[in-house]
Each structure stands twice: as C-alpha cells, then as structure tokens.
Amino acid sequence: MSYNSNYNGAKVQKILERAEMPIIEVSGTTVALTANQFAILTSVQTSTLTVTLNAVEDDTVYNEYMMQFSTGATAPTVNFPSSVVWAETPVIEASKTYQVSIVDNKGIIYSW
C-alpha cells in the first residue's frame, strides 16, 4: 500500500495541535473568545452577555471561535460582534444550553 500526502511534518503538527484543543472555563458578563479554544461559560445569570473575538494569532491554520453557555431562568441579551453573519439569527431563551461556532465571521448556533 502506498500513501501520498500534501501534508508535511509542520502541517501534521498543526493538525495534531488542533486536535488537542484546550477547553477554557470562563464566567462573567463579557467573554473574549480566542481562536481554536473551546470556551465553556458557567450558567449565564446576567441580563447581558457580550462576546468579542480576539485577533487570530496564527493564520496558517483553520481558525474557529467556539463557545458553550447555559442560560438561567431569565434569558440574557447576548451581544455578538456585528461583523458575524449568522446562518440563522440567534434567539436566546431561558433554561437552554447553546453551542456557538464562528469561522471567517460566519456563525452558527445550536441549542437544546
């Protein structure tokens, strides 16, 4: 069996680093997302949550901003960067959990 790939050692290393993506726990009324780190917010109990995107540190890899948060008994207003274009306009409801993914300023949000 032969194997041919366009991926060299440096590219493989970047892929492996991506596979070991850190999970960051945060809380508060403002969260600054860093590319390729999965931010998990504890239950959002504030009336407003503001989300910002830190500048990309490495543009040689695929950069994704990711977060997960749960809402309390009262749904907060969540402010995302105005540059993000959503597949569907986010509607944040009380007592739900949300996962957000933003790539190239295109956002998707899923809830349960």
Side-chain angles (χ1 to χ4, degrees), residues 14-98:
K14 290 291 184 185
I15 291 169
L16 291 174
E17 288 172 5
R18 174 92 164 91
E20 298 173 6
M21 183 181 336
I23 296 175
I24 309 300
E25 292 187 22
V26 295
S27 62
T29 60
T30 302
V31 61
L33 300 180
T34 299
N36 304 322
Q37 292 185 352
F38 187 64
I40 298 179
L41 282 70
T42 55
S43 182
V44 177
Q45 299 293 334
T46 63
S47 60
T48 303
L49 175 66
T50 301
V51 178
T52 62
L53 306 178
N54 289 330
V56 169
E57 295 176 7
D58 183 356
D59 62 3
T60 66
V61 298
Y62 179 81
N63 288 285
E64 178 179 15
Y65 296 90
M66 301 160 287
M67 69 182 288
Q68 177 175 305
F69 65 96
S70 297
T71 58
T74 302
T77 298
V78 180
N79 299 309
F80 292 99
S82 60
S83 60
V84 176
V85 177
W86 295 94
E88 294 182 18
T89 302
V91 176
I92 308 301
E93 298 176 356
S95 304
K96 285 195 167 192
T97 298
Y98 293 86

